[in-house]
Amino acid sequence: MIGEAASVALGWLVGKVTDEAATRTAEGAIKRVLRKRADAAREIALQEIAAGREHVILDIPAQDEAVAILWRYLRAAEEGTARLNLRLMASILAGHNEAPFIHASEFLRWADLVTSLSEIEIVFLATLHRECLRQHEHSEAADEAARRCLIPRFFADEEAYTIAGLALVRTGLIVQISIVGMSGAGLLGGQFKTAPAMMQLGRIADLEGVLAREDGWRG
């Protein structure tokens, strides 16, 4: 069941509410939702900035670059982007002490990619990236380690993991390194490794920290 204010807001949206008082109620309900989302996004951003580079926004040379980055981040929050996605976006914004500052155009490109991901896809990517670093990019060993971390906690079985990996190839962040086979149990094989774009993302965002700071998502 939706609340009275939300119901009025929905009615206002589809043109069924014309009363001035009801319209004000609808507009107020929408503003409260947006304010709540903005407040949550601000808290997430401050946490990631605290974990990343100090004074990151103040250190961006051009003011219009900083405004463009913050505006894109807040727009994602207002649109209802999931917390884990916002946290990853905020980590990109904050950066690492050893990473160069990114320009607004680069942040906007990453933001579009991050908002296109599901939360479970972010967990997949971060886990595979971590294991690739641990295995010194020994692809098969890294994929096997990622599977052990993610199955069955996040993926029910090998087939679900493989389907997720195949879907993520679209992003250019991972590549497929073995052919998918079929058996009576479903899809088999389909090993994956991180692509150069994923390594770049790992340099500008604290992937492990993003999962650790958002409860329940660490692979």
Side-chain angles (χ1 to χ4, degrees):
M1 297 293 290
I2 61 176
E4 181 180 356
S7 178
V8 172
L10 184 61
W12 170 77
L13 182 65
V14 298
K16 292 184 178 180
V17 175
T18 57
D19 177 76
E20 183 177 348
T23 298
R24 286 198 301 270
T25 299
E27 292 174 345
I30 292 170
K31 287 178 180 178
R32 284 193 296 274
V33 170
L34 295 180
R35 189 181 304 116
K36 183 178 180 180
R37 289 178 177 177
D39 288 344
R42 187 178 300 108
E43 179 183 356
I44 290 171
L46 290 174
Q47 291 171 355
E48 293 307 310
I49 289 172
R53 194 197 332 260
E54 293 184 6
H55 313 304
V56 59
I57 294 298
L58 297 178
D59 288 343
I60 295 176
Q63 184 178 5
D64 57 342
E65 294 254 329
V67 170
I69 288 172
L70 289 175
W71 179 258
R72 180 63 182 88
Y73 175 73
L74 289 174
R75 179 163 69 85
E78 289 184 348
E79 291 173 350
T81 299
R83 282 182 58 92
L84 187 62
N85 300 62
L86 286 176
R87 190 172 291 281
L88 176 53
M89 199 182 302
S91 184
I92 295 171
L93 179 158
H96 285 236
N97 286 326
E98 68 272 15
F101 290 110
I102 63 173
H103 294 284
S105 58
E106 186 180 2
F107 179 82
L108 296 178
R109 177 173 63 85
W110 283 116
D112 288 343
L113 190 152
V114 169
T115 55
S116 75
L117 299 172
S118 68
E119 292 170 303
I120 198 69
E121 287 178 328
I122 293 175
V123 176
F124 186 113
L125 291 169
T127 304
L128 183 61
H129 173 70
R130 180 189 69 212
E131 297 305 327
C132 281
L133 293 179
R134 286 179 176 175
Q135 300 294 337
H136 303 290
E137 298 189 26
H138 188 279
S139 303
E140 293 183 0
D143 181 81
E144 291 171 1
R147 288 172 188 265
R148 289 194 297 270
C149 292
L150 296 174
I151 302 171
R153 183 179 176 194
F154 293 104
F155 297 100
D157 50 32
E158 295 278 341
E159 182 178 28
Y161 176 94
T162 299
I163 290 172
L166 290 173
L168 278 167
V169 171
R170 77 184 189 278
T171 66
L173 296 174
I174 66 172
V175 294
Q176 185 180 350
I177 58 174
S178 68
I179 298 174
V180 176
M182 290 290 294
S183 74
L187 293 173
L188 294 175
Q191 290 184 311
F192 307 95
K193 72 173 184 177
T194 52
M198 187 67 218
M199 303 305 288
Q200 180 186 5
L201 178 59
R203 286 192 293 270
I204 62 176
D206 180 12
L207 296 169
E208 280 291 280
V210 164
L211 296 186
R213 288 186 287 276
E214 195 63 35
D215 291 343
W217 285 110
R218 186 180 176 88

